[in-house]
Amino acid sequence: MQDKKSPLLEMTLKTKTEFWNDSCSIPDLKYALGYGAVGATTNPVIVGEVLKKDMDSYRDQIKEMVSSMKKATEDEIGWALNESMAKDGAKLLEDAYEKSNGKNGYISIQTNTKYFKNEEKIIEQASHFNTLTKNIMVKMPVTEAGIIAIEECTYRGITVNATVSFSVPQAIAVAEAIERGLNRREKEGKSMLYPVCTIMIGRVDDWLKNAVQEEKLVIDPDALEFAGVYVFKNAYKIYKEKKYRTRLLAAAYRNHHHWSEFIGGDVSLTIPSKFIRMFNASDIECIERMDNPMDERKLSQLRKIKDFNRAFESDGMTVPEFNTFGATRRTLMQFLNGYDDMIGIIRGFMV
C-alpha cells in the first residue's frame, strides 16, 4: 500500500530522475517497485546484510547447495548464492526492462573485489555473469585494471555498472572507456547498451571528513555534507557537455541532499531501503534542484581539502592514481571484509 504522498514516486512521474533499490532483498525491492524503482543492486556487503536480516528465506537454499555441490568450496557456494539472489531480483525487474526496451530494469552483480588489479579476471567473471539473465548489469571497480575491463566488457556486449568510484576523473575515465567500447561495437553493427557510472557520494563525504582530521583543518561541517553532491554535480555537467552515453548513478546515501539535490537530473539514484522509506515519509518538496548552482561559500571551504580538489577537478587524478585514492582504498577494504563476512556465513553451514 502506497503512502498518501510519495516524493519518490512523484519524482519518477514528473522528472527524468530514476531510482533503484540499493539491495537485492526481495521484500525491499517489492516495496521500492511500488514507488517507481527501475533497478536494484548487490555487492558482497549487501548480500551479507540480506542474509543476516532474512536468513529464514535462504537457510534451506544454502543447505541444499552445500548438500548438492559436494566438492564445492565455500567461495563457490557463496558465488552460486550471489548469482541466485541476483536472478531472483532480475525476475521482479523484467517488466521495467521490457517497458523501457532494455534501458532500465537491471539488477547489478559485482565482480570479485579481489580482482581489482587484474583486468583479465574481471572480464572473465563479467562474461560469465552476463549469461545469467538478459537484464543483468555487471559492476566492476574504477581502478586502473577496471578501466581496461570496462572498455573490453562494453565491446563484448556486457552492460557495465562502474563502481568503487568517487571522483570526476574516475567518472570521465569510465565514460571515455565506454565510448571506446561502444564505438568498436558500432563499427561492427552491434546493438546499443545502457551502462552507468556510479559515484559513491556518501563515501566521498566519509573520506573527506577523515582527510580533514588528518590534515588538521577546520572546515564548516555543513560544507562537508555537500562534498559528494558537488563532485556529482560537476561530473554531471561535464557528462552533458561531452554528450557521453553513460548515465551517472549516485550511491552510498548519508543524508537527504544525496537525493533532493539531484532531483530533475537525467540520472539514476540507488537508494537503500531505509532511506527510501525515510524520503517517502518526509515533507521535502519534489522540486528540481540538479541545475541549482553550487554554494560558493561551501565550495571555498571544501577547496581547502587536497583530496576534494583531486575528486572535484576533471584532471585531479590520473588513471594510475585511482588505486591509491583514500576513498578507493577504504572501500576496497570494506568490500573485501564484507566478502569475508559473507563467506563466513556460508562456512557455518559447511563445517
Side-chain angles (χ1 to χ4, degrees):
M1 181 177 178
Q2 292 181 353
D3 302 340
K4 61 181 180 180
K5 179 184 177 183
S6 167
L8 284 172
L9 182 59
E10 186 179 359
M11 176 187 75
T12 64
L13 294 174
K14 294 183 178 180
T15 77
K16 297 178 180 179
T17 313
E18 299 168 346
F19 84 97
W20 300 3
N21 183 65
D22 195 23
S23 174
C24 56
S25 164
I26 297 301
D28 289 345
L29 178 52
K30 287 180 177 178
Y31 174 86
L33 288 171
Y35 295 95
V38 293
T41 189
T42 73
N43 65 37
V45 176
I46 288 172
V47 169
E49 289 174 349
V50 170
L51 291 177
K52 291 173 185 176
K53 179 180 177 182
D54 193 20
M55 179 53 76
D56 288 346
S57 296
Y58 296 99
R59 183 176 287 107
D60 290 344
Q61 182 180 4
I62 297 172
K63 287 181 178 178
E64 193 280 328
M65 285 180 169
V66 171
S67 175
S68 63
M69 300 169 67
K70 297 185 183 301
K71 296 185 179 182
T73 65
E74 56 198 15
D75 296 273
E76 289 168 334
I77 291 173
W79 281 110
L81 180 63
N82 197 330
E83 291 176 16
S84 175
M85 292 167 76
K87 287 191 285 187
D88 288 343
K91 289 178 184 176
L92 292 177
L93 290 160
E94 282 182 355
D95 188 54
Y97 179 86
E98 297 296 342
K99 286 181 177 178
S100 66
N101 293 317
K103 179 184 177 184
N104 296 315
Y106 291 92
I107 189 163
S108 292
I109 184 169
Q110 185 161 310
T111 53
N112 195 331
T113 308
K114 294 179 181 181
Y115 299 159
F116 76 94
K117 288 186 176 181
N118 189 323
E119 63 270 21
E120 289 90 356
K121 287 285 189 182
I122 295 172
I123 294 166
E124 179 183 5
Q125 191 177 36
S127 298
H128 166 65
F129 287 158
N130 199 46
T131 67
L132 297 178
T133 181
K134 61 186 176 183
N135 55 329
I136 204 81
M137 184 177 275
V138 183
K139 298 169 84 169
M140 51 198 74
V142 188
T143 56
E144 186 173 11
I147 292 297
I148 297 170
I150 286 166
E151 177 182 345
E152 183 61 24
C153 286
T154 299
Y155 167 66
R156 294 188 186 190
I158 299 167
T159 304
V160 167
N161 178 350
T163 188
V164 191
S165 172
F166 318 90
S167 68
V168 174
Q170 286 174 293
I172 292 173
V174 167
E176 292 288 348
I178 288 173
E179 288 298 315
R180 292 192 295 271
L182 290 175
N183 288 338
R184 289 165 63 191
R185 288 181 63 76
E186 287 178 341
K187 288 179 181 178
E188 298 178 11
K190 295 178 179 177
S191 61
M192 176 62 182
L193 303 173
Y194 298 97
V196 299
C197 176
T198 296
I199 298 182
M200 307 182 88
I201 48 178
R203 290 178 179 269
V204 175
D205 294 358
D206 294 346
W207 174 247
L208 292 180
K209 289 171 184 176
N210 179 79
V212 164
Q213 296 298 317
E214 290 186 354
E215 295 179 36
K216 296 180 172 58
L217 298 173
V218 177
I219 301 293
D220 181 348
D222 188 42
L224 289 169
E225 300 300 326
F226 279 83
V229 169
Y230 289 173
V231 167
F232 192 88
K233 285 196 172 190
N234 197 35
Y236 181 72
K237 176 176 175 289
I238 293 170
Y239 266 47
K240 287 298 181 185
E241 289 172 350
K242 293 184 176 290
K243 295 182 172 59
Y244 289 137
R245 288 173 285 183
T246 303
R247 187 177 179 89
L248 282 173
L249 175 70
Y253 279 63
R254 303 291 186 266
N255 59 61
H256 82 77
H257 302 306
H258 295 161
W259 156 58
S260 57
E261 285 294 318
F262 304 139
I263 295 174
D266 189 7
V267 298
S268 296
L269 315 173
T270 183
I271 309 177
S273 182
K274 71 173 185 178
F275 279 99
I276 292 174
R277 287 172 165 82
M278 287 166 55
F279 295 159
N280 269 341
S282 74
D283 58 2
I284 297 169
E285 289 186 81
C286 179
I287 58 176
E288 298 195 7
R289 299 181 180 87
M290 177 58 105
D291 293 330
N292 288 356
M294 301 178 204
D295 185 309
E296 288 298 329
R297 185 189 63 81
K298 289 185 177 71
L299 197 57
S300 66
Q301 287 281 301
L302 292 168
R303 285 192 176 280
K304 297 178 182 179
I305 311 168
K306 177 182 175 182
D307 274 359
F308 173 76
N309 292 307
R310 295 180 71 198
F312 183 80
E313 298 295 342
S314 60
D315 59 354
M317 283 185 282
T318 62
V319 172
E321 291 176 312
F322 293 168
N323 291 33
T324 56
F325 186 56
T328 302
R329 295 174 62 196
R330 173 180 281 196
T331 300
L332 288 172
M333 186 61 72
Q334 289 174 340
F335 281 178
L336 288 165
N337 289 337
Y339 175 78
D340 290 340
D341 288 344
M342 180 192 72
I343 293 302
I345 293 172
I346 302 300
R347 186 179 301 137
F349 285 86
M350 297 182 68
V351 178

